[in-house]
Amino acid sequence: MHTDRKKNSPRQGWGRELRATLALAWPLALTNLSQIALVLTDTFFLGQLGEVPLAAATLGGNLYFIAMALPFGLGFAASAMLAQERGRVAGHVREMRRTVRQASWAMLPTFAVLALALWHTGPILRATGQEPELAAAAELYNRALLWGMLPFYGFLLLRGFLAALERPAPALWVAAGGIGLNAALDYALVAGGLGFPSLGTLGAGMASALSNLGMFLALALWVRLDHRLRRFRLAGRFWRTDPQRMREIIVLGLPIAGSMLLEIGIFSATALVMGWFGSSAVAAHAVALQVAGACFMVPMGIGQAATARVGLAAGAADGEAVRRAGWTAIGLSAGCMAVTATLLLAAPESIAALFLAPELVATRELAGTLLMVAGLFQLADGVQAVAAGALRGLRDTRLPMLFAALGYWGLGLPIGLGLGFEAGLGPRGIWIGLACGLGSVAVLMTLRWAALANPNAIALREAQVSPN
């Protein structure tokens, strides 16, 4: 009896949850880091060619990631549903297969629209006041990169499926291979190695698109050949539709996509604003954004783990486990981001120097200044990302979208523009505005989680069954 009480004590429950979250989060975080490593690799090779190719790829990449908000939203919605379906246990193989199938079909109709927009990157950027040379180079980048969109979505969907099964390692190994493939392709197509001509931004876009295709095919093959995963038969009767389930994915996924669009959009908008300060400011912004983005991949992975852990507990109607899962993930993310904040504040210019040619002294100094600001908002960025992931595990997506609109666009952008132009702080003021926006969203997301993360509220939500 004494042993049972010890096993089920609150301290043991929190300890088990921390170990389970870590086991799931670190491969997801490393997989996310491998994704950003593709962009960082492009940034490294383009940075050696000069400011214009680097700035052009940044502007084009911003539009690309705006377009990717919808695939991310649908993929994360599917991940939350898959976790809850597995948590219910009974019939989860059939239910999870149907969710993967319908999530795949949900993406296909939108691809043509997104691809058409990216194909006309040049006119879009020129309409925002960007230099014609930057707009033309960015268009070349996106016309190659857009062909990697569907393969990346497929990889994202399969990764969410594996996360719901608490088997994230295969996606990590495949993504690690993708980094090597992308580096080799960048060396050949951007740097002009191995006898290939240097294609500049076009070559960087081709390298990333081919790497995304390779990662999707490799992970799909892994799922197909693994004897423990084969029973799901994800490709079985793939042509069959389930309108009700597809509607559920879309209803849940659109607010997630909206939240991501608001967040991605604010960083993209700041990139366009940086263009008004000149190509040097855009290049410095590019470096700072890539480094901050790499740091963000850690809490993003913890947030994905939170979605899975909270979803599993919610599917099993275990309110106490739901509460433990969410707060454990939030605390873990806060600790990790405190470390990254220390690193960014301690050596900002040294980090910036890794991505810029030695002669770009002024650009390196500006990038270092922006990285110091990024260090200040690391904690807020980590907390809001994981709180949002935990809320997705409860299928709570609409209010978080409104929080993102208020924080990023209602507060962050106006403050940044005021400090950047009216107060004369320039690019640094724009980034201080970003920090204010992230801080407000973090507070709102955490308060929302605290309101929902109690057994009575969770039991009521599960009794209602329907998604948010």
Side-chain angles (χ1 to χ4, degrees):
M1 184 71 68
H2 175 73
T3 302
D4 290 341
R5 283 198 302 269
K6 183 177 180 181
K7 179 179 179 181
N8 296 315
S9 68
R11 180 177 297 179
Q12 289 293 316
W14 286 92
R16 285 196 300 272
E17 183 58 44
L18 178 60
R19 289 190 294 272
T21 301
L22 279 170
L24 182 57
W26 75 261
L28 288 171
L30 288 178
T31 303
N32 291 334
L33 284 169
S34 69
Q35 289 296 304
I36 204 69
L38 298 181
V39 182
L40 286 172
T41 304
D42 291 346
T43 300
F44 172 80
F45 280 98
L46 289 171
Q48 309 311 305
L49 298 182
E51 289 181 349
V52 172
L54 177 59
T58 301
L59 292 172
N62 283 327
L63 287 181
Y64 174 79
F65 281 111
I66 288 175
M68 283 299 297
L70 181 58
F72 269 114
L74 295 175
F76 286 163
S79 296
M81 291 175 60
L82 289 165
Q84 288 199 4
E85 287 158 0
R86 183 179 173 234
R88 296 187 188 104
V89 180
H92 73 278
V93 172
R94 180 182 64 256
E95 296 302 308
M96 292 177 75
R97 176 171 61 247
R98 290 176 176 174
T99 295
V100 171
R101 180 194 301 153
Q102 297 312 304
S104 301
W105 282 114
M107 174 58 192
L108 292 177
T110 63
F111 172 70
V113 177
L114 297 176
L116 181 63
L118 290 174
W119 191 261
H120 294 90
T121 291
I124 293 172
L125 290 179
R126 286 194 296 273
T128 64
Q130 302 304 311
E131 299 173 7
E133 182 183 10
L134 289 178
E139 183 171 85
L140 288 176
Y141 181 69
N142 275 358
R143 286 187 173 184
L145 187 60
L146 68 88
W147 300 108
M149 181 180 291
L150 276 181
F152 177 78
Y153 177 71
F155 177 84
L156 181 71
L157 190 56
L158 291 177
R159 187 181 65 176
F161 165 73
L162 292 170
L165 295 174
E166 297 183 283
R167 291 194 58 194
L172 172 60
W173 304 130
V174 168
I179 296 174
L181 175 61
N182 190 63
L185 290 171
D186 271 334
Y187 176 70
L189 300 176
V190 178
L194 304 177
F196 286 84
S198 174
L199 299 178
T201 55
L202 176 64
M206 292 172 61
S208 291
L210 290 171
S211 297
N212 282 329
L213 176 61
M215 288 190 297
F216 166 66
L217 293 176
L219 192 57
L221 183 62
W222 192 313
V223 171
R224 175 68 180 85
L225 297 179
D226 188 296
H227 70 279
R228 289 173 293 180
L229 302 175
R230 196 179 304 153
R231 63 193 177 103
F232 286 91
R233 296 186 295 111
L234 294 184
R237 297 183 178 179
F238 193 77
W239 60 88
R240 295 187 62 178
T241 59
D242 183 342
Q244 177 59 33
R245 190 176 300 262
M246 184 180 292
R247 178 182 178 277
E248 188 176 352
I249 293 170
I250 293 172
V251 168
L252 183 61
L254 285 180
I256 299 175
S259 296
M260 298 197 70
L261 182 60
L262 290 165
E263 184 173 1
I264 295 171
I266 192 65
F267 283 98
S268 299
T270 56
L272 297 176
V273 171
M274 290 294 175
W276 301 339
F277 292 104
S279 60
S280 179
V282 176
H285 174 80
V287 171
L289 187 60
Q290 297 304 336
V291 174
C295 295
F296 179 73
M297 293 300 103
V298 175
M300 186 176 178
I302 299 173
Q304 290 167 317
T307 299
R309 295 295 301 168
V310 170
L312 287 169
D318 188 342
E320 183 58 33
V322 167
R323 187 175 71 89
R324 255 195 325 263
W327 284 119
T328 297
I330 290 172
L332 179 61
S333 179
C336 290
M337 297 310 277
V339 175
T340 62
T342 301
L343 293 174
L344 291 179
L345 292 171
E349 282 200 34
S350 298
I351 295 172
L354 297 175
F355 301 93
L356 294 164
E359 62 270 17
L360 302 177
V361 178
T363 304
R364 187 171 66 247
E365 290 177 353
L366 179 56
T369 300
L370 299 184
L371 283 173
M372 288 189 68
V373 180
L376 297 176
F377 65 62
Q378 288 298 289
L379 186 62
D381 206 13
V383 169
Q384 67 86 19
V386 177
L391 290 170
R392 284 196 295 269
L394 294 178
R395 301 191 182 193
D396 186 72
T397 59
R398 293 178 185 173
L399 267 181
M401 179 180 67
L402 297 179
F403 294 159
L406 174 62
Y408 299 137
W409 293 90
L411 296 175
L413 185 60
I415 291 173
L417 292 175
L419 293 175
F421 292 97
E422 297 299 325
L425 295 181
R428 182 179 55 168
I430 304 299
W431 271 64
I432 292 173
L434 291 177
C436 294
L438 285 167
S440 63
V441 173
V443 171
L444 292 171
M445 291 287 195
T446 305
L447 290 175
R448 176 64 174 171
W449 169 253
L452 296 183
N454 67 78
N456 292 333
I458 294 162
L460 178 61
R461 290 179 63 83
E462 287 306 305
Q464 294 171 342
V465 178
S466 61
N468 181 44

